[in-house]
Amino acid sequence: MPIYGRLPVAFERGEGAWLYSVGGEKYLDALCGVAVTTLGHSHPAIVAAIKAQAEKLLHVSNWFEIPEQIQLAEAISKICEMDSVFFCNSGAEANEAAIKIARLYGHNKNISNPAIVVTQDAFHGRTMATISAGGSRKNQAGFEPLLGGFKRLPYNDLEAVRQVANNSDDVVAVLVEPILGESGVLIPDQGYLVGLREICDQNEWLLMFDEVQTGMGRTGKWFACQHENVKPDVMTLAKALGAGVPIGACVANGPAVGVLKPGTHGSTFGGGPLASVVGKTVIETMHAEGAVERAAEIGEKLLSALTTQLGGNVLVSEIRGLGLMIAIELNVEISRLLQKILDRKLLVNVTGGGKIIRLLPPAIIGDAEIEQIVSTIATVLESHQA
Ligand SMILES: *Cc1c(COP(=O)(O)O)cnc(C)c1O
């Protein structure tokens, strides 16, 4: 179906930070399949884990014990210090599980029409519940009726959340991205997540973070909420957890543990042996290579190189980022911006109506790749001015 505006290039092989096109051309991947391949393409440890597990067992039903799933749950539980995990196959599905937990939690408190606070410009996926929770009118248009039970507030606005807390009895949870990803790397003020934690505690609401994009080391900590030392009650993961093999996880803690009872939710593929082994190998490999620390270091270097070399450009209005989630916001729309960057063999994302260049490079790049990213974008901007 003609859903995607596809770029005219096909890749047949990937290695580390590089992708090789069918025509044999080499591209630097500063997109990572949208925040998926944080360890680079075809990492030997991941490839070996896939091969070994494929030879043993690909699939069994969740009606049986799956030791690989338990091991992955334990590994996730350790890095986020949360108690229990449900596995599915994507970020949207992980958020669906979070939404169901919030509603059940509300009904358990005798709230018959439970509402979840969500934010403007949020992205939580493309299913009916997640486009309803999301803040993009474009993603919702034509798919009405939307799902009810969401209260939308401005992002980064604690006062608006406090007002809802004072004026309504039906709210049961808050679902937010710690940094808005699809909307162009919008980083809230320091204290936003702490403030949300306080309001949720005061009102016995579940605090739910969508860390599908920000999680798994992307921002230079395992999870973006750890920058503010805030622990949510529910956290959703996907993207980089599987390094390209589909997986999603909904992690619960405190009052969110045990809300989903036997028979209340499920997934055929979720937490299968192959995806579980891959997820576990991703976490082990990230530990072994210090990938989270490297994401922080490389991210700082890249952000400062961009700021030094592009900060003074008249077309650039802001350069911002945390770890390896970086955006260069322009004050003009450059036609075919993405294509022009692609022509110079660099993969990025352009969002925000064509004005925001979003960089999500892997945690394995060095100084040469950082310089290539910066100089490529500089060249494209200069050629526009000329
Ligand atoms: C990508 C993304 C999703 C959706 O994940 P899918 O695996 O595409 O369903 C949800 N939330 C956030 C913050 C994302 O970046």
Side-chain angles (χ1 to χ4, degrees), residues 170-310:
D170 55 356
V171 173
V172 294
V174 174
L175 171 64
V176 296
E177 291 168 81
I179 294 174
L180 293 180
E182 296 306 297
S183 283
V185 190
L186 291 164
I187 304 166
D189 295 336
Q190 182 79 28
Y192 182 54
L193 305 183
V194 174
L196 289 177
R197 180 71 273 176
E198 282 168 10
I199 298 169
C200 286
D201 286 343
Q202 286 157 6
N203 294 280
E204 294 183 3
W205 297 350
L206 297 180
L207 178 59
M208 312 201 292
F209 287 147
D210 178 345
E211 293 246 15
V212 169
Q213 186 163 153
T214 52
M216 298 306 297
R218 178 53 49 190
T219 69
K221 299 259 186 200
W222 277 106
F223 306 102
C225 58
Q226 292 172 337
H227 289 281
E228 284 199 28
N229 283 316
V230 173
K231 200 192 292 185
D233 304 304
V234 175
M235 181 165 73
T236 54
L237 303 175
K239 294 202 165 104
L241 178 58
V245 171
I247 186 168
C250 180
V251 193
N253 199 51
V257 173
V259 172
L260 289 175
K261 299 256 181 324
T264 55
H265 198 45
S267 167
T268 297
F269 293 134
L274 181 73
S276 296
V277 161
V278 171
K280 182 173 154 261
T281 307
V282 165
I283 293 174
E284 284 169 359
T285 308
M286 290 187 72
H287 273 303
E289 298 188 357
V292 179
E293 296 76 16
R294 285 184 72 185
E297 268 169 48
I298 297 164
E300 246 174 67
K301 270 192 184 175
L302 177 55
L303 186 65
S304 94
L306 287 165
T307 308
T308 309
Q309 295 184 51
L310 300 176

Side-chain angles (χ1 to χ4, degrees), residues 126-129 131-132 134 136-148:
R126 295 291 204 147
T127 60
M128 278 311 307
I131 60 170
S132 303
S136 164
R137 192 50 211 145
K138 199 168 134 251
N139 290 355
Q140 296 171 341
F143 298 112
E144 298 83 359
L146 299 173
L147 196 71

Side-chain angles (χ1 to χ4, degrees), residues 309-318 329-332 381-382 384-386:
Q309 295 184 51
L310 300 176
N313 191 299
V314 293
L315 303 177
V316 174
S317 58
E318 190 181 37
E329 186 156 354
L330 308 178
N331 48 39
V332 289
L381 296 184
E382 275 153 28
H384 178 77
Q385 281 168 292

